[in-house]
Amino acid sequence: MTRTRRGGMLAALMASLLVASACSGGGGTQSDRPYVYAVNGDPMSVGLNAQFVGGTYPILFSSQIMDPLIFLSDDYELSPGLAERWEVSADGLDLTLHLRSGVTWHDGEPFTAEDVKFNFEEIVPIQTYGALLAERIESVEITDPTTVAVHLTTPFGPLLETVASQFMLPKHIYEGTDYVTNQANKEPIGTGPMMFDSYTSGQEVVLTRNPDYWGEVSQVDRAVYTVMQDPNTRAEALLAGEIDGAVLDPSQQDRVSANENTQLLDHGMFPQMITMMFNSQNEYLADPAVRAALYSVFDRDAFAETAMSGIGTPATGFVPPEIEWAVNPEVDFDEDFPRDLDAINRTLDEAGFARGPDGTRFTLRILYIFTLTEVVKTVEMAQSMLEEVGIATEIKGTGGAEYSQRIYADADFDLAFVRSSIGPDPSLGISTWYECNEERATGSNPTGVCDPEIDAAAAAALDTGDRAERAEALKRMQARAEELMFYVPLAWFNGAFPTISNVRWQGQDAPRVMAERVPWSAMTPAG
C-alpha cells in the first residue's frame, strides 16, 4: 500500500486506497469471495449521495464511489485528492486548485475544470458545510484547463476543511436537473475506486472496482453491503468470520478483543462524542447554576466504563484532544464540576428547588434515540444519578426522525442525550452546538440559549484564516460555554467505529482498508 489516508467526515475524508491483496488465507481469489459488510438497514431509504443528505449510509457509499478535491484524515491532515496541489493567497481571499489530468468519471467522461466550477457554483451551496462557504464566494474562475480559482469576499477560517468536505459530482449528469431528486443519487457516478453496480431492495447494495481509478486500483473486485438489522445477528456473523465488517454494539467488544481474528478499528472517522443538552426554556433549567449542578451529578468515568463498555474516554472539555490547537486548557470539567453531592444539593436548595415530602425536587423528561445502545445505557445510569439529588425523570426513546422533530422543531424535551460527530473543523462541527439558533434549524443548538459573546467568538473563528487567531476565538467561546453549561460532552467515544474480521482474508488488509476509507461520522445526531 503506497498511500493510506484515514477517513474523516463527509467528502473531506477519503482514506486508504483499497489496495489490499486479493488472495485469502485459503488460497482463493477475490472472485471466490467478495468483501462483505453488514449494514443495519436499507441504504436506499435515504439515498447514496452524501452531498445532499446526511447520515451513515450516504457517507458509507459516497466515500467509496466519489472523491473530494482534497482529502482530510481523521487526525486532521490535508493531502491531495482530485486537486494535486492548491494555494491560498496571503489575504485568504483566493484559493487556487491545480487539478489532476487524465481522471475520468465512471461512465468514461473526463473529469474537468468545468465540473469543479459547476460544483462550487451549484452543488456546494446546498451541502451542509458548503453553504457557509458559498455565502462568501464571489466568483469561480477557470484560469486554464486544469486550474480553478475560487475568489472570496471575506476570509473563511475552515476554507480547506470545507472544500475537503465536498464530494465532486459530474456536471454532465446533474446540470439542468433537480439535483436532490436526480436518479444519480441512487446510482452514483463518481471518480472513486469503487463503482455502483446494483441494488436489491431490503437486501444489499453491490459495488465493483473502478479499473480506471486515478490512484492505485482496488484489488477488491466486488463489495457487498448486506442488510442485517438485528445487532446480535451482525455480531455472530462477524465473530464467526462469515462477514468482513460491521458496526457492533459496544457490549460485544469484550468478545471482539478475545477473538484473534476480529478488531475494533480506532481510525477512519472523526472523533465522536456522547453529549447532553438542557432545554433552557424549562423553568427548572433556566438558571446556569442549576444546569451546572445537574451536570456535576453525572459520573463521566462510570459512563465511559459501563455504558460505553470501556471504549469511551471521559470528556474534560468541549474540544477533544485530537484538535489540540483549539482546546482551552483553562476549561477543566474535572476541576470545575466535581461530583460533590452535598454541594449539588445546596445549589439546588438555594435555587429554590427544595425537596418535597417524597424527596423529589422536580421531574425532567429525558429524550434519546433508542437505537444508540451506548446512549440508552448512559441515560439509564443518568436517571439513577439524578435520583440521588432528588430529580425524578421520565425517559423516552424515539427513532431518529421523531427525535429531530421533538428536539429541533418542537423543543419538546427537558434533557436530551445523543451521539454526534466532532466534524472536520471546530467551526463546522462544535460551534454549531453553541451559536444562537432562533430558527431551530436541525443539527444546530436546540437549547434555546442565545448568547452574544458566544456568537461573536464563533464568528471571529470563521472570519480569519490565521489559526492562532481562530484558536483564541474558539477558546473564548469555550470559556463562555462553560459559564452557561447548556450543551456539554460527557465522553469521547469510538464504539461506533467499524469492527472487522480477517478470517476470510488472513494475512491481508482488505477489511481494514475498505472500512477505513469510509468516513463513518454522520451529519445528524441520528447517527
Side-chain angles (χ1 to χ4, degrees), residues 237-279:
L238 186 70
L239 290 162
E242 296 170 357
I243 60 176
D244 304 310
V247 174
L248 301 188
D249 188 283
S251 64
Q252 299 283 359
Q253 290 304 324
D254 283 345
R255 297 177 66 194
V256 170
S257 298
N259 187 323
E260 65 180 3
N261 295 311
T262 56
Q263 175 190 359
L264 170 65
L265 296 180
D266 59 2
H267 293 294
M269 62 190 293
F270 293 139
Q272 291 200 336
M273 57 184 177
I274 308 297
T275 56
M276 63 159 297
M277 61 198 85
F278 297 90
N279 185 349

Side-chain angles (χ1 to χ4, degrees), residues 36 218 226 274 282 302 313 355 404 439 452 474 480 496 517 527:
V36 180
S218 170
T226 185
I274 308 297
N282 179 299
T313 303
R355 291 177 184 264
S404 293
E439 297 80 15
L474 291 167
R480 182 58 175 161
R517 183 176 169 92

Side-chain angles (χ1 to χ4, degrees), residues 297-298 303 339 363-364 366 368 375-396 415 417:
V297 169
F298 299 129
F303 286 153
R339 193 171 192 270
T363 300
L364 297 176
I366 301 180
Y368 61 94
V375 176
V376 175
K377 294 173 183 175
T378 298
V379 167
E380 291 170 349
M381 294 180 67
Q383 185 177 33
S384 177
M385 294 172 189
L386 289 167
E387 287 177 0
E388 295 182 64
V389 294
I391 309 299
T393 55
E394 299 172 357
I395 64 175
K396 171 67 173 176
L415 299 179
F417 290 70

